[in-house]
Amino acid sequence: MNFVTHEVSAVNSQTAPPLAIKGRGAAKNYSHRFSKLKTLKVEELQADLFGSPPTTDWIAEQSKSIISYNQSPDVPFDRSINPYRGCEHGCVYCFARPSHAYWDYNPGLDFETKIIYKPNAIALLEKELEKPGYQCQPIALGVNTDAYQPIEEKLELTRSILKTLLKYKHPVSILTKSKLILRDLDLLKELNHYGLVSVGVSITTLDNRLKTLMEPRAASANARLKVMQTLTENNIPTRALVAPVIPALNDSEIESIVKQVSAAGVKQASYIMLRLPWELKQVFSDWLEQHYPYKKDKVLSYLTEMRNGKLNQTEFGKRMTGDGIFAQIIRSRFKLACKRFGVNTEAERKLNTELFDAGHPTQLSLI
């Protein structure tokens, strides 16, 4: 196989962004902070030159661990599992895009076309759960990249993880925007029988045109509402996540979205304000220039106003919701919408950690 190595120049914010690619969120690859060189196969370089649509590659990774731990006060969990790195949904705003640079892949097109999966996930999970000192707390599944993205239909890694957690009676919370989760309704119902599962479904817009541009390979709003309705009809605790809220682009839909998720039977909802860490600033800025050039300056101006003059804010307590008068308006509107449509009026059910069984043999069982 022939390879061509060339230097990737820094992104110039003054040049026009590349033309959009149908079915993809990002329109190009971007230089990133971990590498100045990028190696392309000759056929990939030709695709760049002649405009052929980029294909998706799936890359197996033999991971050394499967559960990631955090101490962030901004999230309601201290551990998570992400069976996939990168996401073919192609959401242009995804905060996880910059993490692809850790493996010398690009936060642009690489993020949605180079999908890393973990074939040894189950062996690692069982090993972790069976450690003598393991303390059971709910595991968040798919919070970085979607655990139900298209490749899951073939690999069934997420389904296998759910089977394993059910085997050990371990609680799990799931976040997705995919209707593929309903394939595993049998497992979700059984997990819920023991109080071991809750599901969050993210929804960004009810406008299908905006959805197609911003989340090109994700399920439609109607499909996500149907997922919520099916889950609530089966008494599975379900939360709607209105995310991300983007000022001057989708913030006008807050009340409509809360109304629709309430009609689907959802009793819990929250929101997250758009944040643009690292290379995501340029990815999202270029996307605005491609699709909403007349709104670009307004959107970015609102974002910087809510982020103390920057496009990203890392301060705990503010990075998810923003700061300042506009952020306060969004917070008040969301709270009032939830009150109006009967959302967040009940306490959220806690997942059961008392049934966890690591399978350690007791002294009596050895006699």
Side-chain angles (χ1 to χ4, degrees):
M1 183 70 68
N2 294 321
F3 291 86
V4 174
T5 301
H6 65 96
E7 187 170 353
V8 180
S9 59
V11 175
N12 185 345
S13 61
Q14 301 302 315
T15 60
L19 296 177
I21 300 173
K22 185 177 181 180
R24 300 294 181 181
K28 58 176 280 188
N29 271 326
Y30 294 81
S31 59
H32 61 81
R33 61 198 183 282
F34 294 108
S35 178
K36 294 182 179 180
L37 295 177
K38 181 171 179 62
T39 301
L40 295 177
K41 298 177 183 177
V42 169
E43 56 266 29
E44 290 176 341
L45 183 59
Q46 290 172 338
D48 285 346
L49 294 174
F50 299 108
S52 300
T55 57
T56 303
D57 296 326
W58 296 282
I59 303 157
E61 175 196 40
Q62 293 298 317
S63 300
K64 295 182 180 179
S65 62
I66 191 64
I67 301 178
S68 299
Y69 293 87
N70 77 86
Q71 296 179 333
S72 171
D74 284 333
V75 293
F77 57 86
D78 69 351
R79 65 199 69 185
S80 61
I81 293 177
N82 291 286
Y84 306 106
R85 307 186 197 274
C87 185
E88 200 174 1
H89 283 158
C91 303
V92 71
Y93 55 74
C94 184
F95 70 90
R97 280 183 178 271
S99 67
H100 232 43
Y102 298 157
W103 295 275
D104 201 17
Y105 287 124
N106 199 278
L109 272 175
D110 277 356
F111 178 79
E112 48 197 284
T113 61
K114 310 285 187 188
I115 311 300
I116 304 168
Y117 65 96
K118 305 173 183 180
N120 61 338
I122 303 308
L124 290 172
L125 179 56
E126 290 184 336
K127 181 180 178 181
E128 183 77 12
L129 297 182
E130 292 180 6
K131 287 181 178 178
Y134 181 78
Q135 298 294 315
C136 177
Q137 289 296 326
I139 288 175
L141 182 58
V143 293
N144 198 46
T145 55
D146 206 313
Y148 282 102
Q149 58 181 286
I151 191 178
E152 167 61 20
E153 188 169 6
K154 176 181 178 181
L155 296 183
E156 297 193 359
L157 276 180
T158 297
R159 182 171 177 84
S160 297
I161 289 171
L162 291 180
K163 286 181 178 179
T164 303
L165 294 174
L166 177 60
K167 169 185 170 183
Y168 289 87
K169 298 295 188 294
H170 195 294
V172 58
S173 63
I174 304 167
L175 179 61
T176 186
K177 60 184 64 172
S178 173
K179 61 183 179 181
L180 182 58
I181 189 174
L182 295 183
R183 177 203 64 188
D184 295 339
L185 188 59
D186 58 332
L187 292 175
L188 298 177
K189 290 164 69 173
E190 192 168 358
L191 283 160
N192 188 51
H193 174 74
Y194 298 104
L196 297 174
V197 70
S198 65
V199 178
V201 180
S202 68
I203 183 165
T204 313
T205 178
L206 301 175
D207 181 342
N208 197 51
R209 179 181 181 275
L210 176 57
K211 195 286 314 177
T212 301
L213 295 175
M214 191 161 53
E215 308 166 323
R217 299 195 177 196
S220 67
N222 284 339
R224 298 184 216 184
L225 290 168
K226 179 63 177 177
V227 168
M228 295 185 216
Q229 182 177 354
T230 302
L231 293 173
T232 57
E233 286 175 350
N234 284 276
N235 298 314
I236 296 169
T238 305
R239 168 179 290 273
L241 182 62
V242 184
V245 174
I246 306 172
L249 198 60
N250 72 343
D251 67 292
S252 62
E253 297 187 67
I254 289 174
E255 290 80 5
S256 299
I257 293 174
V258 174
K259 180 180 179 180
Q260 290 299 315
V261 301
S262 176
V266 173
K267 299 300 182 184
Q268 300 290 332
S270 53
Y271 76 95
I272 296 177
M273 192 69 67
L274 177 68
R275 55 194 183 99
L276 300 174
W278 299 103
E279 296 87 357
L280 189 54
K281 298 180 181 70
Q282 189 66 62
V283 176
F284 187 73
S285 180
D286 279 356
W287 179 86
L288 284 172
E289 184 66 34
Q290 291 161 356
H291 300 292
Y292 295 94
Y294 55 95
K295 289 187 175 183
K296 176 182 176 181
D297 290 345
K298 187 175 183 180
V299 171
L300 296 179
S301 176
Y302 274 126
L303 287 174
T304 54
E305 190 277 333
M306 290 189 297
R307 302 293 188 187
N308 291 322
K310 301 179 181 180
L311 287 176
N312 188 43
Q313 189 175 21
T314 58
E315 184 180 350
F316 290 141
K318 296 180 179 180
R319 61 181 183 144
M320 300 295 188
T321 58
D323 196 14
I325 186 63
F326 192 80
Q328 293 173 18
I329 292 172
I330 294 293
R331 191 178 303 114
S332 297
R333 284 178 53 201
F334 185 82
K335 184 177 180 179
L336 287 172
C338 289
K339 182 178 180 180
R340 177 182 178 187
F341 297 112
V343 178
N344 293 341
T345 59
E346 303 174 2
E348 191 168 14
R349 191 184 80 184
K350 292 185 177 181
L351 297 181
N352 190 353
T353 60
E354 301 299 320
L355 299 177
F356 175 65
D357 181 8
H360 298 308
T362 63
Q363 191 66 31
L364 283 176
S365 68
L366 296 176
I367 295 176

